[in-house]
Amino acid sequence: MENLVNIFVKSIFIDNMIFAYFLGMCSYLAVSKTVKTSTGLGLAVIFVLGFTLPIDYLLENYILKEGALTWLSPTLADVDLSFLSFIMFIAVIASMVQLVEMVVEKFSPSLYNSLGIFLPLIAVNCAILGGSLFMQEREYTSIVEATAFGLGSGVGWFLAIVGIAAIREKIRYSNVPAPLRGLGITFIITGLMGIAFMSFMGIKL
Amino acid sequence: MKEREPLFSTKNLNLLRDPLNDSNPITVQVLGICSALAVTVKLKPSVVLAISVVAVMAVSNVVISLLRKSIPPRIRIIVQLTVIATMVILVDEILQAFAYDVSKQLSVFVGLIITNCIIMGRLEAFALANKPWPAFLDGVGNAAGYGLILIIVAFFRELLGSGTIWDYPLFEKLGIFTTGYVNNGLMILPPMALITVGIIIWIQRARNRKLIEEK
C-alpha cells in the first residue's frame, strides 16, 4: 500500500508529465485559455490514463514481452513481439478515447458539448502514449502499480493545465510586450512553473 | 490537355520555405512541442530526432496523400495513426541497430513521434487534400522547420549548460574556464527548454511583426 502511495505521489509531483517530460504540451498550450475547459479536459485525461495503463500493462505482460505468450502454449516461450508495442498501444488508446467519447455522450450530454473537439484530441495527447511507454520502460511489477502510476500522471497533468489556465486568465489584464503576447509568455510561464515544481525533485520516496 | 506544373515551381518552393519562418510548426502553429523539448539537452540526439521526424513525415505524408481518395473519413484517424506507427517502428528499429547509444538517450521519445501533433496535424490539414509531390514537400518543409528550432534550442542548451558542441569541449579548449566562468547547470534542466523557446518566439515575432497575436 505504501508503495502505491509513493508511485502515485511521485508521478504527480516529481515526474510530472508536463514539467519534467513535456508530454501533452500541444493540448496543454492550445486548450489552457479558460479554467473551465481545462478542468474538463484534465478530468478526461485522468480518466483515459487511468483506464489505458492497466490495459496496456496486460497487453505488455501477456502478449508483447519476450516469453509473455507462454500462458498460451510453452512452445511460444521465445516469441518476442515487443516491436509491435507502439502500434498496439496506440490502438488501445484510440479505442479507449472512442469509448470514453461514447459513454460521455450517452450519460452526460452537457459535459460532452462543453468538451467538444477536445475529447477526440486526447488520442493524440502524448501524455497518454508517453505514460504507456514509461510504464513499459520502468517495469512496474503489478497491474495495481500501473494503475496508480496512470492515475497519478493524470492528476499531475490536470494540476498543470488548471494552474496555467488560471494564470493565463489573470495575465490578460497585464501589459505583456507585444511579440511575447499569447504563445511566448505562456512558454516562459510554464518554464517558471517547471522551476517551481523542481523543488520536489530532491525528495526521495 | 492541361500543362504540367514544373516540379520546383514557386508555389511548391513556398511549401518548403514557409514552415522555416512564417508558419513554423513549433513557434507559430504550436504543433509538435511534446516530444521536442526533452531531447534538446545535447545537440546529437536532437539532430537524430530531427532526421527521424523528417523521414517519418515525408513518407507518411506521401502514403496518406496516395490513399487520400480511398480512406473513409470516419476512420481516417486510425488509418493515419497506423501509417505513422509503422514508419516509427521502422525508424526505431534502424536506430537501435545503427545508433544504439543515441536510441537509448532518446528512450521513449522515438515512440512519441507517433503522437507528435505536427505529423497528425499536417496529414489532416495538407496531405488529405493534396497530390503526393506537394505533400512530400510540405512534409519535408514542416519537419525541417521543426528540426531547425530543435537544433537552435539544443545548440544553446549544450553550449551554455555543458560548455560543449557535439560533445567537443569548446569552452575548455578556448580556456574560458580559467577566467572564472562556470557552466550554467540550470540550462540542462527541463524548464529552461521552455524558456529558450519562449525567447526564440520573442525574437522571431519582434523581427516579423505580422505574427504578433491580437490582444
Side-chain angles (χ1 to χ4, degrees), chain B residues 124-214:
Chain B
E124 278 281 289
F126 198 89
L128 270 180
N130 284 283
K131 293 207 180 87
W133 175 244
F136 174 78
L137 289 178
D138 183 76
V140 173
N142 274 285
Y146 163 90
L148 183 73
I149 299 289
L150 217 63
I151 289 167
I152 296 177
V153 174
F155 176 80
F156 284 109
R157 283 183 79 193
E158 185 174 351
L159 186 69
L160 300 176
S162 349
T164 57
I165 293 291
W166 201 272
D167 290 333
Y168 175 79
L170 184 73
F171 279 3
E172 201 185 313
K173 289 273 154 57
L174 291 176
I176 291 178
F177 289 124
T178 52
T179 61
Y181 173 84
V182 280
N183 284 326
N184 183 354
L186 196 60
M187 289 303 282
I188 301 179
L189 297 170
M192 286 314 287
L194 289 164
I195 294 181
T196 316
V197 175
I199 293 170
I200 292 177
I201 293 176
W202 190 358
I203 295 171
Q204 189 194 12
R205 292 191 181 177
R207 292 171 55 90
N208 196 342
R209 301 203 74 92
K210 64 174 182 279
L211 295 177
I212 292 176
E213 285 174 41
E214 293 289 319

Side-chain angles (χ1 to χ4, degrees), chain A:
Chain A
M1 192 59 210
E2 201 186 330
N3 183 25
L4 292 181
V5 177
N6 278 351
I7 292 180
F8 186 70
V9 173
K10 195 164 179 256
S11 51
I12 296 180
F13 293 109
I14 304 170
D15 291 336
N16 187 291
M17 279 285 174
I18 299 248
F19 299 126
Y21 299 106
F22 312 106
L23 296 178
M25 281 303 276
C26 303
S27 25
Y28 170 85
L29 290 170
V31 184
S32 60
K33 286 204 176 95
T34 61
V35 174
K36 205 167 157 240
T37 42
S38 2
T39 316
L41 185 73
L43 288 176
V45 167
I46 298 180
F47 192 75
V48 176
L49 260 174
F51 274 97
T52 316
L53 283 208
I55 297 178
D56 282 350
Y57 180 85
L58 292 178
L59 270 181
E60 162 78 8
N61 282 283
Y62 292 101
I63 296 179
L64 296 173
K65 217 159 65 179
E66 190 174 0
L69 281 170
T70 28
W71 61 274
L72 211 60
S73 115
T75 49
L76 295 173
D78 50 357
V79 177
D80 181 4
L81 291 177
S82 50
F83 66 92
L84 282 178
S85 51
F86 293 159
I87 230 166
M88 295 284 267
F89 287 172
I90 201 76
V92 169
I93 293 167
S95 39
M96 271 311 296
V97 170
Q98 194 81 55
L99 203 69
V100 170
E101 198 181 346
M102 271 152 38
V103 170
V104 173
E105 190 180 10
K106 181 94 184 147
F107 291 105
S108 167
S110 61
L111 179 65
Y112 179 78
N113 285 332
S114 68
L115 282 178
I117 178 74
F118 305 125
L119 257 183
L121 275 185
I122 299 177
V124 282
N125 187 325
C126 346
I128 318 271
L129 184 65
S132 308
L133 294 176
F134 275 128
M135 176 209 60
Q136 191 185 26
E137 203 180 72
R138 291 179 193 159
E139 294 174 346
Y140 288 113
T141 48
S142 74
I143 186 167
V144 193
E145 280 184 8
T147 319
F149 171 67
L151 287 175
S153 310
V155 173
W157 202 87
F158 172 82
L159 277 182
I161 194 169
V162 173
I164 191 82
I167 296 179
R168 281 182 82 171
E169 277 189 359
K170 293 284 173 226
I171 215 161
R172 219 169 291 150
Y173 305 107
S174 40
N175 194 11
V176 179
L180 264 181
R181 232 180 266 154
L183 191 58
I185 195 74
T186 313
F187 265 104
I188 292 178
I189 294 171
T190 312
L192 294 176
M193 285 169 79
I195 293 178
F197 260 71
M198 266 166 47
S199 53
F200 293 111
M201 230 152 77
I203 303 172
K204 280 270 181 297
L205 281 176

